[in-house]
Amino acid sequence: MTPVIRAANLTFSYDDGTRALDGVSFELYPGECVALLGANGSGKTTFALHLNGLLTGEGEIEVCGMELSKENLPPIRRKIGMVFQDSDEQLFMPTVLEDVMFGPLNMGLTPDQAGARARTALERVGMAGLEAKAPYHLSAGQKRRVAVAGVLAMNPEILVLDEPTTYLDPPAERDLAVLLRELPQAKILISHDMPFVRALASRAVFFERGRIVAEGCVNEIVERFGWDLQL
Amino acid sequence: MHIPDGFLTPPVWATLDFAGLASVSLLARKARAEVDESRIPLLGVMGAFVFAAQMINFPVGLGTSGHLVGGALLAFILGPAAAAMVMTAILAIQALVFQDGGILALGPNVLNMAFAGVFAGYLPVHFLGGRSRRAALFAGAFLSVMVSALMALSELLISGVRMPAGALWISLALFAVSALLEGVITVAAVEAIGRLQPSWVKSRGGGMRAPALAIIALTAVFLASVGITFASASPDGLEKLIERAGPAGRNLFAAPLAEYQWQGLGGEWMGKAAAGVLGVGFVFVLCIGFARLARSKK
Amino acid sequence: MHHVIVERWSRRRSWMHARDARVKLAALVALIAASATTPPSHWTAALFYGALALAGVLAARLPVHSLLSRAALVLPFSATFAAVNWLAGDPARASALLWKSYLSAFSVLLFVSCTPLADALRALEWCRVPSLLILIAQFLYRYLFVISEQAQHMRLAAQCRAGGNHDWTFRGAAAALSVLFVRSYSRADGIRQAMNARGFAGRFPALAAPRFTWIDGVFGAAAIAACAGVRVMA
Ligand SMILES: Nc1ncnc2c1ncn2[C@@H]1O[C@H](COP(=O)(O)OP(=O)(O)O)[C@@H](O)[C@H]1O
Ligand SMILES: [Mg+2]
C-alpha cells in the first residue's frame, strides 16, 4: 500500500533559532489513525504545520503522491483538513455557516454549492440549525464541531487534529470521539488525552526534542514512556 | 475626544463627512494595493488589541488613571496607511456598538483621530527611523493626541459651541496632559513589548520610505486644516464669526455651503488662518527638532 | 460588558430584527439627520423624534429601560459642554447638545440592538464603503470578544495577586499590555494559518447579499417620511 503522507528528514528552526524539528521521517497509510505523542514543545504542532506547507523547512514531503511544492499547495491543502488547537483562531468568519463555507468557496464552488456542502457538513457533526449563530455564542464543544465541519466541507482525504479535546468536557469529548471514529479518512491525532487516543488511534509515534524517538502500537508507546496518569 | 452628534452644525459635519469618506476610499484603495489580504486578520486583531488595551488603566497618581489611545502605537506596528484604516474601523465600531462618538460626527472623528492622529503620530517615527525610537515614539504619541484634540476643539468652536477663554484653557491643559500621558504609555508599552520580543521591535520603524511622501503630503493637508480651524478659534474672531453666521445659521441646511463660508469669513480671517498654519507647523518642527537632538546625544 | 449585551440583543427575534439592515440604516440616518438639522430649542420636535425611536424599541421588543439608561452614557460629556454653554448665555444650544446627543446615542443603540453587526457591516458594504475597511471591522469585532475577555482575565489575576481591589501599577500595566499584544499578534498568525489551511486564495469570498422584501420597503418609506414630517413641521 502506498502511503498518503510520506515525510522524510524534516528539519526546521524558527526565526529565533529554536530547532523545532530535527530529522523527522513519517508515513501515514490510508484509513489509519496515528497518534503523535510527546511532551509540550517537542515539535508535534510544528510537524503538523509542515504537512500542508504552512511552515517549510528542509526535507521532503509527499501528499497523495504529490510532492509538496508551491504549485502543488492548493491541491494539497484540499487533501489535508487541519483542525487547529485553538477553535477561536479557526472560526474567524462572522457566522457559523459563513465559516464552514469559507473552504468550499476558496475551492471555487459557487455560493449555492458551498452553502449546500456546508449544511451537509454541519448536519454530519450534529450542528444543524445553528447556521446563523456567531462563533462567540458557541460552547467549546460546539466550536470544535464547527471547526471539524469547516474541514469536512472540503472533503479532505486526510484529517490532522491538533489537541482536539482541550477545553472539552467529558460528554463533548465522547461525542467528538464517536464522530471521528465514523469518519473514513486517514487521521493524524495530536493529543495528551490517553483514553481518547486509545479509543481512536491504532498506532503512535513519540516526539522528543524535534525527533521521533519511538514508534509502535499505542499501548506499547504509552507504557514505554509512562505516558499515562498512573498514581 | 469623540464628538457626539448634535455638537457640530450641518455645514461642518456635512463637509467633514464628505472629506472623511473621500479620504477613506482613497486610502483604502492605496492600502488595498499595499496590504496583502492575508494580513487583514492581523489588522483586525490589532484593532481589537487596541480596544482591549484601552481597558487597562495606567495609574498616574492622585487617584487618577489614563489609558492608551493607540494611534501612534498602531502606526508604529502597522505603518501609517494600514494604521489609519484600523483606526477608522475602531471608530466605526465605537460609534455603532458603544455609542461613543456620533454617526453624523463619524467623518469628523475619523479625520481627527484616524487620519490626522495616526499620520501625526507616524511622522516623528518616520523621520527618526529606528535609532532613537523612544524619542520618536514619545513625540509621535504626544502629537497624535494633541493634533486630534485640537482639530476636534476647532470643529466645535467653528460650529459655535461656546467656549469662554477659561474653559478653552482648561481643555487645552487637559489635552496637553493626556497627550503627555499617551507619550509615556506608548513608550512604556513598546519597551515592554521589546522585553518580550526583542527581535520584533527592532524590525519596526525606519523602513517604509516609499509611501511616506504621499503620507507627508496628506499630513500637511491635515495640518493646514488644523491651522485654519485653530486660527478661527481664537476667541474674539470666533465671536464675530458666530455673530455673522448666526442669522444665516438658522437655515444653514438649505443654504449652499460655499456661500456660507464666503459670507461669513472675511479677509482678516485669512491672515489668522495663515498664522494658525504657521503656528502649528512651528510646534511640529520644534517637536521633531527636539527628538533629533535627543537622538544625536545618544 | 456593553458589547456582549448588545450582541445578545441583536440576536433576538422580532419584527424589527427581521427588517433588512440597509433599510434600518437608512431610517437611522434619516432620524439623526432630521434631528441634527432641527433648530436647537424645538422641544416638541425632540419629543416626536424620541417617540419614533421608542416605537422602534417596542417593535424590536427590547428592554426600554436598559436602552434608555445605556444611551445615557453620552450624557456626562454632553452635560459638561451644555453647562459651559448655559453659563456662556446660550441655553438653547445647551439643551440642544443634550437632547440631540442623547437621541442619537439612543437610536444608534436601537439600531445595533436589532441588527447583528455582521449584517450592519454588510449594509455598509452595499453602500460602497470600501471592503477593506469592512473586512477589518469584521475581524476587529470578532476578536474584540476574545481579546477583551483576555484583558479582563489578566486584570482579575493581577487584582488577586495584589490582594484586593488594587489595580495595576504603572509598570504592571505596561507589562500586561505587552503580554496582551504578543498574544494578539500570535493569534493573528494562527488565524492566517487557519485561513491558508482552508485554501485561502488571496481574496475573501464576498458576503452574501441581504434580501429585500416589500415589507422592508414600506417600513423604510414610512420611517423616512415620519422623520421628514417632523422636521418639516418643526
Ligand atoms: N512561532 C514560534 N516561534 C518560535 N519558537 C516556536 C514557535 N512556535 C513553537 N516554537 C518552539 O518550537 C518548539 C516546538 O513547538 P511545538 O511544535 O508547538 O510543540 P508541541 O506542539 O509538541 O507542544 C518549542 O520549543 C516551541 O517553544
Ligand atoms: Mg502543540
Side-chain angles (χ1 to χ4, degrees), chain A:
Chain A
M1 217 169 17
T2 51
V4 283
I5 289 182
R6 198 180 61 75
N9 255 324
L10 290 185
T11 301
F12 177 80
S13 301
Y14 281 101
D15 288 339
D16 62 358
T18 319
R19 170 152 290 210
L21 293 182
D22 193 4
V24 172
S25 298
F26 175 85
E27 283 173 355
L28 179 74
Y29 291 92
E32 72 168 342
C33 175
V34 179
L36 308 191
L37 307 181
N40 295 321
S42 55
K44 306 179 298 291
T45 298
T46 308
F47 171 71
L49 293 175
H50 273 75
L51 297 178
N52 61 358
L54 292 172
L55 292 176
T56 40
E58 285 161 47
E60 286 165 36
I61 298 179
E62 228 179 72
V63 178
C64 301
M66 288 178 287
E67 187 151 346
L68 189 88
S69 61
K70 210 163 165 97
E71 312 82 72
N72 283 341
L73 270 186
I76 284 179
R77 286 183 177 167
R78 229 168 280 173
K79 301 255 184 224
I80 300 184
M82 199 167 281
V83 178
F84 288 80
Q85 184 169 359
D86 187 339
S87 312
D88 272 322
E89 284 170 12
Q90 186 148 15
L91 308 181
F92 44 79
M93 296 298 275
T95 62
V96 166
L97 184 67
E98 278 169 294
D99 198 90
V100 179
M101 282 169 68
F102 181 83
L105 284 175
N106 284 329
M107 290 164 62
L109 299 190
T110 66
D112 285 341
Q113 292 168 325
R117 274 223 200 173
R119 276 173 227 280
T120 318
L122 282 169
E123 218 159 278
R124 206 147 155 210
V125 300
M127 292 288 291
L130 298 179
E131 286 88 353
K133 279 227 174 203
Y136 170 72
H137 291 276
L138 303 176
S139 71
Q142 289 175 322
K143 279 185 196 168
R144 188 78 59 187
R145 285 203 251 172
V146 174
V148 173
V151 161
L152 289 184
M154 298 176 72
N155 274 339
E157 286 180 28
I158 302 151
L159 288 177
V160 179
L161 303 119
D162 193 350
E163 305 198 21
T165 56
T166 26
Y167 308 125
L168 297 193
D169 52 26
E173 197 180 315
R174 194 174 52 236
D175 289 350
L176 185 67
V178 169
L179 168 69
L180 290 177
R181 206 152 48 177
E182 281 169 7
L183 297 173
Q185 282 91 344
K187 297 176 203 79
I188 293 178
L189 176 63
I190 303 175
S191 181
H192 300 299
D193 182 344
M194 285 309 123
F196 191 77
V197 167
R198 283 209 172 91
L200 289 169
S202 47
R203 186 159 72 89
V205 299
F206 197 88
F207 275 73
E208 215 170 72
R209 273 181 249 113
R211 293 163 183 270
I212 292 183
V213 291
E215 175 169 2
C217 77
V218 177
N219 282 330
E220 202 180 293
I221 299 285
V222 167
E223 237 159 72
R224 184 161 148 202
F225 292 93
W227 215 242
D228 217 343
L229 182 66
Q230 280 165 340
L231 300 173

